[in-house]
Amino acid sequence: MSPQPNPQPNPHTHPQVNAYTRPQTGPGAPLRAVPDTGPQTALSTPPRRDRDTPRDPDTPRDLVGIGIGPFNLSLAALAHPLDELDTVFYEQRPAFAWHPGLLIEGARIQVPFLADLVTLADPANPWSFLNYLKTRDRLFPFYFAERFHIQRAEYDAYCRWVCENLPALSFGHQVDAVRFNPELDVFEVDFTQLGPDGEAEALGRTHAKNIVLGIGTEPDIPDPLKPLVEAPRVPVIHAADYLDHRETLLAAEHITVIGSGQSGAEVFLDLLRRRPVGREGLHWLGRTDAFAPMEYSKLGLEHFTPDYTRYFHALAEPVRDQLVASQWQLHKGIDAGTLAAIHDELYRRSLHGGWPDAVLTPGVRVRTAGRVATTKVELHLEHLHQNTRSRLTTDAVVLATGYRERPLSRILAGLDPYMRLDSRERPRIDDQYRLVMDPSVTGSGCHIYVQNAERHTHGIGTPDLGLAAWRSAAILNSVTGKETYPLPTRTAFTTFGLEQQEPRIPSARQPKVLTPLMDGI
């Protein structure tokens, strides 16, 4: 069930948390109100300070995080040792889950294990991946495995370990709205506490000086295929749900995978390995000119450094938009090892003569699609270079069509009058990852930070796990107003641009000027 939208509050009144109620939809008694006394404490493996003292619900928190994915989890882990910060993080799901539909056996993340939640900002932090291995008595097996890139399932298990032990995380809490209270100079965050079945159990409100949005992304489904995804009895699914439907897909006579990125390649390879030799019945279609490898040269990877992020942010808006569109191979290509594994599997199936029943065609887009006899799908295809069209009938479709940023307006509708947008109606975001808002808000010391919602202002490194810890540390430095986490002033050998923007260096990092000694002293 969903609670009714909040009535517009009177800007001259300030309801107390313990008196706060919102109407409940449907039958039954009104939902109870819950004060914001903080999340339940959890047993922590790494040492931490005692935070079991109940807090005053009327005191604004220093920071409220909305969403608990890897990025806000990184922020929570780095904020944990900071005694001066009062934080809480809300997530509507009952527990942490990182792309569960794509945790295919053997699939690896595309960044080294050092790109965990904390290491690249604080290598000694107790919430590191290496400390996770230590608590599991797995350091020596990992050492001998010599794996720089870990499996996705292991990264997911690591993040779940952090969630199970890190305080300040409140799962089963759905944030409904965020408003600014100009009389108290704080943000008001309305939330619904959910039960194990997802039903609303109680309503609450908390106040904060700073908010960090980490609501993540959602599957991007092309318009021609949206009706098919919602139709019953037609197995058309997004790759995000692949493992939940894998057995249904394998039962189909013919399967089509659409999408030429890493997810499409992994799904195609997994299906190929599980289909009988000679009866594979697979099509793999992609819009790109080729099933191209991801740019993984050492200098190419420097596009995922803070240096490049600063350079990109300083560019003009039209230039930034053009660059993001042109850099697809830096982040949408396919791991070379995955491409090699696909070729090896296809080659193995041709050893005894004949070709596998698998068609791989790049440079193709889906114009329209429809159902045939309720159980089949007809795809209307267009080849982008030949300018030819054809039809493909298939029994199942997997859409490996990527993800898109969730619109911030769903949560920030109450802040519309304060928001500052660019020429394409997107939020403006400054170099400290803060939404650009009216001075009446920012002048009061209140800010909203974003994580993985700033590709248009900060570039293709936005969703990259390798920048998670650095960005979280930068946000905490901004929130605390000091160099809580010393960050490097240079991170790339490449100098991007002739007039490179210098990073902000707090006074604590300014080199000391030594007084010259006099001769004989």
Side-chain angles (χ1 to χ4, degrees), residues 37-110:
T37 55
Q40 296 296 316
T41 57
L43 178 64
S44 176
T45 302
R48 66 177 178 87
R49 68 184 185 279
D50 183 12
R51 297 185 178 182
D52 297 334
T53 304
R55 66 181 302 278
D56 181 358
D58 293 327
T59 302
R61 292 186 180 273
D62 298 302
L63 186 152
V64 168
I66 301 177
I68 304 177
F71 297 131
N72 261 0
L73 187 57
S74 165
L75 187 73
L78 288 171
H80 175 236
L82 307 183
D83 290 316
E84 70 271 27
L85 284 187
D86 178 14
T87 67
V88 68
F89 292 78
Y90 295 126
E91 169 60 53
Q92 69 179 35
R93 296 176 299 175
F96 181 89
W98 185 66
H99 298 301
L102 282 170
L103 298 181
I104 301 171
E105 297 87 337
R108 301 184 181 277
I109 62 174
Q110 293 173 282

Side-chain angles (χ1 to χ4, degrees), residues 493-517:
F493 291 112
T494 305
T495 299
F496 300 100
L498 297 178
E499 296 180 357
Q500 178 72 358
Q501 184 186 32
E502 293 298 325
R504 297 185 178 183
I505 306 176
S507 56
R509 289 293 300 275
Q510 296 286 1
K512 294 181 179 180
V513 178
L514 300 180
T515 302
L517 293 177

Side-chain angles (χ1 to χ4, degrees), residues 431-445:
D431 61 347
Q432 298 183 59
Y433 299 95
R434 303 178 301 194
L435 295 180
V436 178
M437 306 183 72
D438 190 84
S440 62
V441 177
T442 57
S444 67

Side-chain angles (χ1 to χ4, degrees), residues 243-288:
L243 288 183
D244 293 335
H245 299 273
R246 183 166 62 183
E247 296 307 315
T248 301
L249 293 168
L250 289 172
E253 183 177 347
H254 186 274
I255 310 170
T256 300
V257 178
I258 300 176
S260 55
Q262 182 68 21
S263 297
E266 290 177 350
V267 168
F268 178 80
L269 176 60
D270 189 63
L271 290 171
L272 179 62
R273 286 171 168 169
R274 296 171 185 274
R275 303 286 276 185
V277 175
R279 301 197 307 276
E280 292 82 4
L282 292 173
H283 258 74
W284 183 18
L285 307 174
R287 290 191 57 158
T288 55

Side-chain angles (χ1 to χ4, degrees), residues 407-447:
L408 302 181
S409 57
R410 297 178 187 175
I411 293 178
L412 302 183
L415 296 176
D416 277 350
Y418 303 103
M419 299 278 287
R420 297 295 180 261
L421 307 179
D422 66 13
S423 64
R424 296 174 62 176
E425 300 298 312
R426 298 168 300 192
R428 291 172 55 195
I429 302 168
D430 70 13
D431 61 347
Q432 298 183 59
Y433 299 95
R434 303 178 301 194
L435 295 180
V436 178
M437 306 183 72
D438 190 84
S440 62
V441 177
T442 57
S444 67
C446 293
H447 297 284

